[in-house]
Amino acid sequence: MTPRAFTVAIDGPAAAGKGTIARAVAGHFGFAHLDTGLLYRAVGALTLDGADPIEAARALDPRALEDGRLRTAEVAQAASRVAVIPEVRAALLDFQRSFARRPGGAVLDGRDICTVIYPGAEAQLFVTASAEVRAERRWKELRDKGDDRTLAEVLADVRARDARDSEREAAPLRPADGAMLLDTSKMSIDEAVAAAIAHVAAKGGAPRA
Ligand code: DC
């Protein structure tokens, strides 16, 4: 018997904890996980090398998602710039949709999973936190990796990306009507993960046998 498809869609702004929550939910239920930001980061990285963003998105090889540079702040800004281009978004749609319906369950995190990519997702979450809390978390992560940017610089980056992601015309970041709102500003990681798992279970998600 083919295992059934079950989609968990998680949206939210940069550094809200989506990735951590998505990985933990996928691990708990035994579902596959796709960090859709990596698709935009891979296209952004290619444009930094001089590629045309639309052509890069159309020809994107999933192996490009493993590029070690994708987590840098420079690539994050490039990703948010290519993400405003409708043709780039369109080129990445089919891959994300088929991932969402793969047998055995899938968790996708990004900005428009509930609103555009897969509005039929059985469980939907909008994970957020104040810009200050998100900047502080990101700043600590960067500091641990030896990056010496100041908290003020990281906060300015978070705000710039928020503005670009939510004010763009193509698939702007916004909570979907049916999504559970999870504000992690005052939550520990464990509390946020537990709340997300409880929501997915309440929507009928069950660990793979
Ligand atoms: O989640 P992230 O920080 O890796 O995302 C990088 C950029 O990609 C982000 O600024 C906006 C864009 N993005 C998007 O437009 N849609 C998605 N589903 C995921 C990311």
Side-chain angles (χ1 to χ4, degrees):
M1 201 178 76
T2 317
R4 76 176 174 136
F6 185 96
T7 313
V8 181
I10 304 181
D11 289 323
K18 293 186 305 280
T20 307
I21 292 172
R23 274 190 302 277
V25 167
H28 178 86
F29 291 95
F31 296 167
H33 170 227
L34 178 65
D35 169 357
T36 64
L38 282 181
L39 301 169
Y40 295 91
R41 284 173 183 259
V43 175
L46 291 165
T47 63
L48 294 176
D49 296 337
D52 171 79
I54 299 171
E55 279 168 25
R58 288 185 179 149
L60 192 67
D61 181 332
R63 277 174 302 187
L65 306 186
E66 282 149 35
D67 184 332
R69 279 186 310 163
L70 299 188
R71 294 284 168 207
T72 63
E74 191 192 10
V75 170
Q77 292 295 340
S80 109
R81 283 193 297 272
V82 301
V84 305
I85 305 170
E87 291 87 347
V88 167
R89 307 198 68 85
L92 302 176
L93 196 75
D94 285 349
F95 178 77
Q96 296 177 81
R97 267 193 195 147
S98 41
F99 192 96
R101 288 327 270 170
R102 62 196 276 151
V107 181
L108 288 84
D109 71 279
R111 303 290 190 292
D112 62 341
I113 311 302
C114 305
T115 51
V116 175
I117 302 297
Y118 201 67
E122 285 82 357
Q124 305 187 8
L125 293 110
F126 190 85
V127 178
T128 190
S130 70
E132 290 74 13
V133 167
R134 289 185 285 121
E136 191 167 345
R137 288 180 188 157
R138 187 48 58 88
W139 173 69
K140 284 185 181 150
E141 256 172 48
L142 291 169
R143 197 191 48 188
D144 292 345
K145 284 191 214 150
D147 189 313
D148 59 2
R149 283 183 322 142
T150 65
L151 180 56
E153 283 168 334
V154 178
L155 180 58
D157 254 26
V158 163
R159 292 212 164 109
R161 278 221 282 157
D162 280 359
R164 218 180 282 132
D165 294 348
S166 36
E167 287 160 19
R168 68 183 181 215
E169 268 181 39
L173 174 68
R174 63 171 179 79
D177 289 341
M180 176 205 185
L181 199 65
L182 189 58
D183 185 334
T184 67
S185 302
K186 296 190 179 133
M187 287 177 138
S188 67
I189 291 173
D190 288 351
E191 285 167 342
V193 165
I197 288 174
H199 178 70
V200 174
K203 292 290 179 182
R208 275 184 80 173

